[in-house]
Each structure stands twice: as structure tokens, then as C-alpha cells.
Amino acid sequence: MSPTLNASSPKQAKTDPSKTTYKIAVIGGDGTGPEVVREGLKVLNAVTKKSGFKLEFINYDLGGERYKKTGEILPDSVLSELKTMDSIFLGAIGHPDVKPGILEKGLLLRLRFELDQYINLRPVVLYPNVETPLANKKPGDIDFVVIRENTEGLYSGAGGFLRRGTVHEVALQDSINTRMGAERCIRYAFEYTRKRNKKKMLTLCGKTNVLTFAFDLWERAFYEVAKEYPDVKPDYAHVDATCMWMVKNPEYFDVIVTDNMFGDIITDLGAMIQGGMGIAAGGNLNPEAVSMFEPIGGSAPKYTGRNVINPLAAICAAGMMMDEIGRPEAAQAVEKAVFTALSSGKIKSLAAGKMGLTTTEMGDLVASLI
Ligand code: IPM
Ligand code: MN
């Protein structure tokens, strides 16, 4: 799996004002994926009813079941079709009967790489009435965004074994950091921080004291790009300190930019402090081509088909998708409806089975508030 620049993909302007219909590929995927996706689509349908644009949903049955039946994970023909979409909405990947790694690498990571989705965008927001494990933190204290590089680093698949299975075996897993890859991610992060217009502080999360090659490159790229953004304050924190502050004083952060592996880890920490996987949404972005949005919670096999899983993360991911296709007013409508649903007190908890509402009822509630 190598990063591709994907020069052949359509790099059209995303905010074409004359565009009124958007083609969205829907991959329900495994476990509870299809259930949460269904609620996300319900909310999007409520949005388009009141807006001047249409969404055309095209379903793809990718995931563990298809792999078990046919051995196919992501056929090239499907990949070509996905490249023509305006966006992709993904439920979850991961099947209890499929060895871990096969679907993750063959589907999720392959899509990220093939579509060159070089940004992983993860807002970390504590909504009203949501319980955080952090003592004395309230909404407003936890409100930052992690921008994770999504196509390089330890995820590049570079490395190999020597003398595997012997007492002298060697395993190498290389972190690939290109100047181009780091810089485009950093530049996106500066732009994002400027547009977000809150504290206007961008923190580079790295490990310059130990990873003296990889983060030397990142740090130089960061401070060079920073000169183009005099209105944004560049800031630096080691990844271990970042974890500490995310727990101790999360209000410090505005936007964090980091590499693929550190980003993977700190965004799970972020999901927990904002109330768990039930509310954590993410986007895999190619700002010039096709992006993909997903709740980050996974397939939750034990809750599958029981109508008890929390769809809010999928609904929030659907909202983020509206922003990316160039419909920020629709994104705001979804965000506001989720906010109002949580403020209403009707949702008892974000944990599966403890919400006081079914999956379907949660979707109905948010849709009714659009
Ligand atoms: C994520 C996930 C993936 C990752 C897995 C499923 C491959 O944990 O989106 O953060 O490690 O990137
Ligand atoms: Mn992860």
C-alpha cells in the first residue's frame, strides 16, 4: 500500500454554486454500521427536504459479509466508481469472523490511500448533557479539532521481516515522512485554524526530542508554513505532553496537527473525553477530490441488529460531509439539531442500550429538529 498522488482523480472545485445534486456512495459495512448509517441518511433526507439541493445515495455492499461470500474486499470496478462520487459515507468495518487487519487494510486503509485522503479530521467537542470522564469539565472546555496526516508515517506499509520465525528474526516497520505529505497536511491545518477563527492557535503534536528525523522534517515544514499565516499562532507539544493536557486542561487546545500514528492514538483519547464512541465522528479528506466520512466507533458486533446502538456519531459524520461537499448551511443544521437533541434531556446516555431511546428513535428525534 503506497501513497498515490492520484493525479487522475477529478479535482473539481467543491463549491460550484450551480451544482444541485450530489452523488453519495453509502457503505454500511459491518456490524452496526448499516444501522447507524440508516439514521445518518434519515437526517440528511430531513435536511435536503428544506434545502435547495438533492443527495443521490448509491449503496455498496462492501465489508465482512461480502468478503466471506466472494473473497472480494474492494473490487477495482467499485474503486473506479467511488472515484466519481461527490463523497462517501461509511458505517463501520470489522467482522468477528474475519482476521483483524484484512478488512481494515483491504478496505478502509486502501480507500484512504487510493483516494489520497490525506487529512483525517476529528473534532473533539463536548456537547451539553454528555458525561465526560474528566472531572469539572463542561461544554466549551472541550472544543478542539485534531488534524491527522492520513496517508504516510507508520501506516505506509513500508518495512519487512528478516529471518521471520527464527530466534534471530528482525521486524522493520518504517515511518515514511515526505516533505510534500507533511507540508500539505500542515498547510491544510493552518487554513482550517484560520477559518475556524477561535483561539487561532495551531499546535504541532510530535516527538522532536526522540524522533529526531521524522519530526525534524515536520517541525521545519511547520514553522516555514507558519510564516504564511501571521494571524495563526504556531505552537508545539510533544505527543506525551499532548495526552497529559488533553486530560488535565483540554481547553488549552484549538487545533492540533500531527502524524498518522500519533493522530490515531490521540483521537481515541479525544473520543473518550468528549463522551465516547457514540458521539465521535471523523472525516478522511481529499480536499481536492473524494472524501469519506465515518463514525469512528467501529462495528460493535455484540449490538448488531438490536436497534440499541447510538447513531449520533454517524449523524455528526453525515453533517461533516455536508461541509465538505460545499453545503456548510446543511452541516450547521445537522450540528444544531444534534446539539438541541442532547440539550432536550431526552437522551439518557450515549452508551449503547442505555440511551433511553432506540437507534431509530434517536434518528427520528434529530431529524425532527432539522
Ligand atoms: C481509525 C481506525 C483505523 C486506523 C483502523 C481501523 C485501521 O482506528 O480510523 O482511527 O488505525 O486508522
Ligand atoms: Mn484509530
Side-chain angles (χ1 to χ4, degrees):
M1 206 178 308
S2 58
T4 52
L5 272 177
N6 225 15
S8 61
S9 65
K11 306 225 166 192
Q12 79 276 45
K14 291 259 173 120
T15 44
D16 175 359
S18 64
K19 196 170 164 91
T20 53
T21 304
Y22 301 86
K23 275 164 63 182
I24 310 291
V26 178
I27 306 171
D30 298 319
T32 50
E35 290 167 67
V36 296
V37 156
R38 187 189 64 212
E39 302 312 314
L41 297 182
K42 186 187 282 176
V43 172
L44 289 183
N45 282 327
V47 169
T48 51
K49 244 187 226 151
K50 300 199 170 165
S51 321
F53 68 96
K54 290 198 185 77
L55 298 170
E56 186 190 333
F57 300 119
I58 302 114
N59 273 294
Y60 289 92
D61 70 329
L62 301 172
E65 286 304 324
R66 172 145 173 193
Y67 174 66
K68 273 174 58 193
K69 264 188 241 139
T70 68
E72 287 174 327
I73 301 180
L74 177 61
D76 288 344
S77 59
V78 173
L79 182 60
S80 316
E81 283 179 40
L82 292 176
K83 287 183 180 170
T84 69
M85 299 288 155
D86 288 297
S87 200
I88 304 170
F89 187 31
L90 174 72
I93 293 302
H95 194 290
D97 304 339
V98 180
K99 196 173 154 227
I102 296 193
L103 297 168
E104 289 85 344
K105 276 191 149 180
L107 190 55
L108 183 64
L109 295 182
R110 182 151 176 244
L111 281 172
R112 287 179 183 170
F113 281 76
E114 295 271 3
L115 300 175
D116 200 26
Q117 292 165 338
Y118 60 90
I119 299 294
N120 191 306
L121 190 66
R122 279 278 298 111
V124 179
V125 181
L126 181 63
Y127 284 93
N129 291 327
V130 172
E131 207 180 316
T132 170
L134 304 188
N136 307 321
K137 297 296 174 194
K138 49 186 191 320
D141 294 339
I142 302 175
D143 180 3
F144 61 93
V145 176
V146 179
I147 293 174
R148 160 187 174 190
E149 201 293 320
N150 213 29
T151 54
E152 297 194 345
L154 283 167
Y155 278 68
S156 63
F161 285 109
L162 189 61
R163 300 188 293 262
R164 185 173 184 273
T166 74
V167 287
H168 296 292
E169 80 175 316
V170 179
L172 294 176
Q173 194 91 47
D174 300 331
S175 176
I176 305 264
N177 296 267
T178 71
R179 173 68 191 227
M180 177 281 294
E183 190 171 320
R184 66 180 177 175
C185 176
I186 287 166
R187 184 163 274 109
Y188 179 91
F190 273 103
E191 282 292 331
Y192 188 96
T193 309
R194 172 180 276 172
K195 277 214 203 97
R196 176 172 150 92
N197 199 19
K198 289 207 168 159
K199 284 173 96 174
K200 289 195 145 185
M201 180 180 78
L202 178 62
T203 304
L204 171 64
C205 163
K207 191 71 187 173
T208 51
N209 53 349
V210 177
L211 305 183
T212 50
F213 310 127
F215 280 100
D216 180 72
L217 182 154
W218 273 82
E219 195 180 33
R220 278 182 288 115
F222 183 73
Y223 286 105
E224 277 169 38
V225 175
K227 289 186 200 139
E228 297 169 32
Y229 296 86
D231 52 324
V232 176
K233 183 175 175 236
D235 175 52
Y236 175 82
H238 293 320
V239 62
D240 44 356
T242 303
C243 291
M244 220 162 62
W245 295 341
M246 277 173 71
V247 172
K248 187 170 168 276
N249 50 335
E251 58 277 9
Y252 174 76
F253 295 109
D254 181 13
V255 182
I256 299 174
V257 64
T258 190
D259 84 344
N260 211 339
M261 189 76 255
F262 291 166
D264 178 49
I265 298 166
I266 69 169
T267 54
D268 267 25
L269 179 54
M272 283 303 119
I273 66 172
Q274 75 179 119
M277 291 298 183
I279 189 80
N284 302 277
L285 315 187
N286 179 332
E288 294 88 32
V290 187
S291 301
M292 174 167 72
F293 296 84
E294 51 172 344
I296 70 168
S299 58
K302 71 174 181 180
Y303 296 115
T304 302
R306 293 172 46 194
N307 205 21
V308 296
I309 195 78
N310 186 344
L312 287 180
I315 292 169
C316 290
M320 289 173 72
M321 180 163 71
M322 293 302 97
D323 232 339
E324 184 62 17
I325 64 169
R327 293 287 176 175
E329 70 294 344
Q332 278 152 25
V334 175
E335 165 99 15
K336 198 164 152 252
V338 169
F339 192 93
T340 313
L342 286 163
S343 306
S344 75
K346 287 182 188 148
I347 298 166
K348 301 290 167 236
S349 157
L350 294 191
K354 297 185 182 148
M355 304 178 307
L357 296 173
T358 64
T359 306
T360 320
E361 286 166 343
M362 292 273 271
D364 290 343
L365 174 63
V366 179
S368 74
L369 294 167
I370 295 286

